[in-house]
Amino acid sequence: MYILGISAYYHDSAAALIRNGVVVAAAQEERFTRRKQDAAFPGSAVRFCLDAVQGNSVDYVVFYDKPLLKFERLLETYLSFAPKGFASFRAGLPVWAKEKLFLRSLLTKELHTLTGVRFADEQILFSEHHLSHAASAFYPSPFDDAAVLTMDGVGEWATTSVSIGHGRELKIVRDIPFPHSLGLLYSAFTSYAGFRVNSGEYKLMGLAPYGVPRFASTIREHLVDVKPDGSFRLNQRYFNYCTGLSMTNQRFHDLFGRPPRLPEAALDDFHADVAASIQEVTEDITLRMTRALAKETGQKNICLAGGVALNCVANGKIAADGAFENVWIQPAAGDAGGSLGAALAAYHLHVKAERQVQRPDGMSAGSLGPNYSPAEIEAALKAAGARYKVTSDEALFEETARALAEGEVVGWFQGRMEFGPRALGFRSILGDPRRPDMQRKLNLKIKFRESFRPFAPSVLAEEAHAWFDTPAPDSPYMLTVSGVSERHRTMTSLHAETHHKLEHQHLIRSTIPAVTHTDFSSRVQTVHAEQNPRYHRLLKAFHQITDCPMLINTSFNVRNEPIVCTPRDAFACFMATDMDRLVIGNFVLDKTEQDSALAVNYASSFEMD
């Protein structure tokens, strides 16, 4: 049985395909269209997924939320605040009246145009938003039983929900309704700090260690009332997202004593302190929730999903806290992953098919996107005018590892594209973490982004505990933060505490300075030979040359560009940046050998993320 899941029309449109409960394909639309967070119907992603059907028919198509319930929430929100907010309501109403209220017919039309197949009404299903998130976390997890915590901005009504999974059964047992949202609270501060909502939250999290949480008590006193079990309510007097087109209002700005930072304006200690404060409050709320859930449910396992589950610092605190013995987080935790969860929910809850638990999990190391054959790669490179050589595996890993050890920055394009926002060694830019200048070089000359933003290490799984104090036994999806082990630190904790500001961001803190944040933290990815053999082999070759079992791993893109999907995308990004080498499969490209006329400054065409 084939089931296609779709998320669309809000942000991060995506499609996912399962066969008899096993995930076989998943991709975000933005990777194909090259439009960041593309919200349109995911035609290209659907087409890619359907290629895996191989002549069979799709039994069901499942949308990831229920638009009528969402429209009900919009109506009730307007009535609660009316007449305030009428302008924004009036602006959004035509879209609902023309399309979103008639989503079944719209989906049927889009699918018919794409495939030539007209699906019957009973083949088009709708899942609830938070159920889709919960299903995306529980069903691919390695657990027979688990509590599931979903936290995001908002679905139809729920912003935070608790579910219990057992075998094929999954049931939401309670939730916190809109407008009280931890995701929207964090996004309000993202906007206030001058970053873009739904993408800049990563920046706020990365900025937090440079600050002091001196506003945490202000947030708790005025903005959010938190109970011992982690449940909370937001004071809507300080927010504008219910009725307006902005996240915060003048009362919010007055509370902190400054207007919002303009995008791309200078950052200072105030912004770092604001980031540190909301990060501390977020961690406190999530820890209260998980501790209360562990006591209440008696479960030993917890699964996390929803956009807040991409806060890897909070995730690291949950794992280290020990309230649950085991933590598993959906790597595509945001709305894109809702497409996968919708399909899985339909299979287990609508079809009532039994579940087969997969280990280490059901996400195939995230490699669920398109792959390209050697012939396809060569054709794309020839069409682009690239100059390349083809090398054997034996030479490839040794030569690439040696180039990295000599300071080269390498674009690494192998196998199937990752599903989710993190590069996991399939579409990555790699560098030597031992080099003090590498973090700055990657930020400013490769990614074209702010110099303070940290980079993550990919480390051989078998060597991780020798280098990091890992709260989780494994982190294959780069979703938890760990501390660099004391033995590898070159700065004392006391010295670090007094030299953690933005002005100190380039001080050397460890023997792997390019992946050591100001608080000695690292967003670690553990790499297993069984899950990602080619990337593991490269790391092993680098380890043999340098005695360092890790590389910097950042996503293969520039600012606000989606991660590259095709060999053509990879070559364009390679030529537009200061990358030294590009490795696509067994095809190796040296920058010095390329036609300089092919270099295009396309970074300027992308807005700040």
Side-chain angles (χ1 to χ4, degrees), residues 525-552:
Q525 178 199 6
T526 51
V527 180
H528 295 260
E530 302 80 12
Q531 295 174 308
N532 194 338
R534 291 181 71 80
Y535 193 32
H536 186 275
R537 192 168 171 183
L538 177 64
L539 288 166
K540 198 165 186 178
F542 187 79
H543 188 204
Q544 290 170 346
I545 293 170
T546 65
D547 288 329
C548 179
M550 75 192 77
L551 290 166
I552 295 174

Side-chain angles (χ1 to χ4, degrees), residues 127 140 146 167 189 207 210 220 246 256 323 329 342 357 369 403 437 503 593:
S127 177
F189 281 89
L207 182 62
Y210 294 109
R220 293 185 178 103
S246 62
F256 295 98
I329 307 157
V357 176
D437 64 335
E503 63 190 81
E593 298 174 357

Side-chain angles (χ1 to χ4, degrees), residues 300-479:
K300 296 180 179 180
N301 310 312
I302 189 168
C303 303
L304 303 177
V308 178
L310 292 171
N311 191 310
C312 54
V313 180
N315 294 343
K317 298 288 178 67
I318 292 170
D321 185 59
F324 286 92
E325 293 180 12
N326 304 296
V327 180
W328 193 86
I329 307 157
Q330 166 55 240
D335 275 12
S339 62
L340 173 59
L344 290 167
Y347 184 70
H348 294 294
L349 301 178
H350 179 76
V351 179
K352 301 188 184 302
E354 292 304 317
R355 173 176 177 243
Q356 298 296 320
V357 176
Q358 299 173 67
R359 294 185 173 86
D361 59 50
M363 291 300 294
S364 301
S367 59
L368 295 165
N371 191 14
Y372 297 89
S373 68
E376 290 173 320
I377 295 169
E378 187 164 29
L381 293 176
K382 283 182 176 179
R387 296 167 184 165
Y388 58 87
K389 69 176 182 179
V390 184
T391 187
S392 65
D393 276 359
E394 288 70 23
L396 177 75
F397 297 103
E398 169 72 20
E399 289 179 7
T400 306
R402 198 162 294 281
L404 286 159
E406 292 171 358
E408 289 193 18
V409 176
V410 175
W412 181 253
F413 184 112
Q414 302 288 324
R416 299 184 69 176
M417 181 179 70
E418 300 94 334
F419 183 52
R422 305 275 160 82
L424 301 171
F426 303 99
R427 304 286 187 274
S428 293
I429 298 173
L430 307 177
D432 184 348
R434 303 169 302 156
R435 293 180 173 267
D437 64 335
M438 187 57 70
Q439 185 254 6
R440 192 168 193 175
K441 178 181 179 181
L442 284 171
N443 269 328
L444 299 181
K445 295 188 176 182
I446 310 295
K447 305 284 281 188
F448 305 112
R449 68 186 198 182
E450 301 91 343
S451 64
F452 75 85
R453 294 175 67 176
F455 287 104
S458 292
V459 59
L460 292 169
E462 57 271 28
E463 298 289 337
H465 285 282
W467 287 80
F468 300 100
D469 299 322
T470 54
D474 201 16
S475 182
Y477 299 113
M478 206 183 288
L479 286 167

Side-chain angles (χ1 to χ4, degrees), residues 96-114:
W96 281 92
K98 289 171 61 178
E99 294 182 353
K100 293 182 179 179
L101 286 177
F102 307 98
L103 199 55
R104 185 186 300 277
S105 61
L106 179 61
L107 290 173
T108 301
K109 179 181 176 181
E110 293 279 12
L111 290 165
H112 182 255
T113 300
L114 191 66

Side-chain angles (χ1 to χ4, degrees), residues 39-59:
F41 177 81
S44 298
V46 168
R47 190 179 296 110
F48 156 68
C49 287
L50 292 182
D51 286 344
V53 175
Q54 299 177 337
N56 295 292
S57 60
V58 171
D59 297 275

